């Protein structure tokens, strides 16, 4: 198994603090290209809308870093934060970390869900409401973004960690708003959101563990979970449910695959999860 001794990191916002240590244990030093503006590729505040999937966005950043450094391997991460698909009042974060070898096209991708991200927003009309929101979101360690209240309003100030600066931005937002309010949201850039930095670090640990696992037939790094298969049989009617039945592990370079029954949990599904028994 061969891993490079250097890889380009296509990521701004100080994420190398979280990504570098696990990779250093594999003997890989991260090179962060000077002046690579990944905000041109995407931002959280939708000033530059993201094109394609999260994987596409991470790949574009990894390739930009490869081009800037002329190394053969690039790494980049991409995050998406929003309402939980089933419990819209709860936030959820998705993070992707992608490893790409530009010479072979070999990619290793790790994904992670954060069920308790530091992601929130509020429209406020008074200093007390602002104080309550800032307290709940972990300000000032987590920075805040202030915008006017109109739909799609561009932020007036980002990355704020100083209360006077926040109050100043709120006053400016209130002047622009017909209702006199301001829209506050957590800044999701990793260096301004400690919870996100920690999540990126956990994901980097997983990528490092994945890269340390060689394919049993070709020895390429990155053997591991490729996808899951649903259809765990219902305990009553034996019909397929949407629960995970098996994990497909495989080689990320040549695609050999092994199907493993799900390791944890029962081998039949609760009928409550069955579309036939509990439609
Ligand atoms: Zn292989
Ligand atoms: Zn059933």
């Amino acid at each position: 198994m061969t891993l490079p001794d250097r890889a380009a990191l296509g990521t701004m916002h100080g994420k190398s603090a979280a990504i570098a240590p696990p990779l250093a244990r594999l003997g890989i030093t991260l090179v962060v290209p000077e002046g690579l503006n990944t905000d041109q590729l995407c931002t959280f505040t939708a000033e530059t809308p993201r094109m394609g999937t999260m994987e596409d966005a991470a790949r574009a950043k990894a390739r930009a870093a490869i081009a800037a450094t002329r190394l053969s391997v690039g790494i980049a991460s991409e995050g998406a934060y929003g309402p939980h698909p089933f419990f819209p009042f709860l936030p959820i974060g998705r993070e992707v970390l992608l490893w790409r070898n530009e010479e072979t096209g070999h990619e290793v991708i790790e994904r992670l869900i954060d069920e308790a991200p530091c992601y929130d927003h509020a429209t406020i009309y008074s200093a007390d409401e602002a104080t309550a929101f800032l307290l709940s979101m972990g300000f000032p360690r987590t920075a805040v973004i202030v915008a006017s209240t109109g739909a799609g309003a561009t932020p007036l100030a980002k990355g704020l960690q100083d209360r006077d600066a926040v109050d100043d931005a709120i006053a400016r937002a209130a002047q622009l708003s017909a209702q006199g309010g301001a829209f506050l949201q957590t800044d999701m850039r990793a260096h301004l959101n400690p919870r996100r930095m920690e999540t990126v670090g956990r994901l980097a640990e997983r990528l490092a563990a994945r890269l340390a696992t060689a394919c049993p037939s070709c020895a390429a790094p990155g053997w591991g979970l490729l996808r899951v298969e649903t259809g765990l049989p219902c305990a009553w009617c034996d019909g397929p449910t949407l629960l995970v039945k098996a994990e497909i592990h495989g080689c990320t370079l040549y695609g050999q695959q092994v199907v493993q029954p799900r390791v944890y949990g029962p081998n039949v599904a609760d009928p409550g999860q069955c579309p036939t028994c509990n439609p």
Side-chain angles (χ1 to χ4, degrees):
M1 179 167 84
T2 50
L3 286 169
D5 57 2
R6 293 197 302 161
L9 183 65
T11 252
M12 291 165 70
H13 313 316
K15 281 187 221 160
S16 68
I19 299 175
L23 291 164
R25 291 201 297 275
L26 300 178
I28 302 166
T29 303
L30 294 183
V31 179
V32 182
E34 295 274 329
L36 184 70
N37 183 5
T38 54
D39 279 351
Q40 284 173 349
L41 301 167
C42 130
T43 68
F44 275 106
T45 39
E47 287 136 74
T48 311
R50 178 165 54 217
M51 307 298 280
T53 65
M54 291 176 69
E55 282 79 5
D56 291 340
R59 182 175 300 112
K61 290 193 253 184
R63 297 185 85 168
I66 288 168
T69 56
R70 301 179 180 211
L71 294 172
S72 51
V73 170
I75 299 174
S77 92
E78 180 70 14
Y81 287 78
H84 192 290
F86 303 128
F87 311 103
F89 295 109
L90 295 179
I92 197 163
R94 290 182 296 148
E95 294 281 353
V96 165
L97 189 58
L98 177 140
W99 160 282
R100 178 179 173 85
N101 185 321
E102 193 63 32
E103 283 161 21
T104 60
H106 181 200
E107 288 186 351
V108 180
I109 303 172
E110 279 292 324
R111 299 172 183 85
L112 189 141
I113 297 283
D114 184 0
E115 303 257 13
C118 185
Y119 169 83
D120 202 1
H121 54 77
T123 303
I124 58 104
Y125 295 95
S126 70
D128 283 353
E129 284 178 343
T131 301
F133 176 75
L134 292 173
L135 197 65
S136 75
M137 60 158 268
F139 178 87
R141 287 192 72 217
T142 302
V144 70
I145 296 174
V146 179
S148 184
T149 53
T154 10
L156 295 169
K158 302 202 279 183
L160 300 181
Q161 292 179 302
D162 172 83
R163 182 62 200 253
D164 288 342
V166 174
D167 289 340
D168 178 63
I170 288 175
R172 282 187 287 140
Q175 276 183 348
L176 293 169
S177 149
Q179 301 81 25
F183 183 71
L184 307 188
Q185 61 187 121
T186 45
D187 201 316
M188 297 313 294
R189 290 173 289 170
H191 65 298
L192 295 169
N193 189 310
R195 170 69 189 196
R196 180 159 188 242
M197 188 67 98
E198 184 192 310
T199 302
V200 171
R202 279 196 292 140
L203 188 55
E205 291 287 350
R206 283 167 51 160
L207 180 69
R210 178 85 179 251
L211 289 170
T213 309
C215 169
S217 59
C218 76
W223 173 272
L225 182 67
L226 298 179
R227 62 182 187 279
V228 296
E229 225 164 61
T230 57
L232 189 69
C234 169
W236 284 356
C237 73
D238 206 33
T241 66
L242 288 174
L243 299 184
V244 172
K245 179 176 69 176
E247 294 184 345
I248 316 298
H249 289 244
C251 174
T252 43
L253 184 56
Y254 292 117
Q256 294 95 332
Q257 296 181 0
V258 173
V259 180
Q260 297 180 348
R262 196 178 58 151
V263 181
Y264 303 104
N267 51 15
V268 287
D270 181 333
Q273 306 280 346
C274 173
T276 309
C277 300
N278 185 25

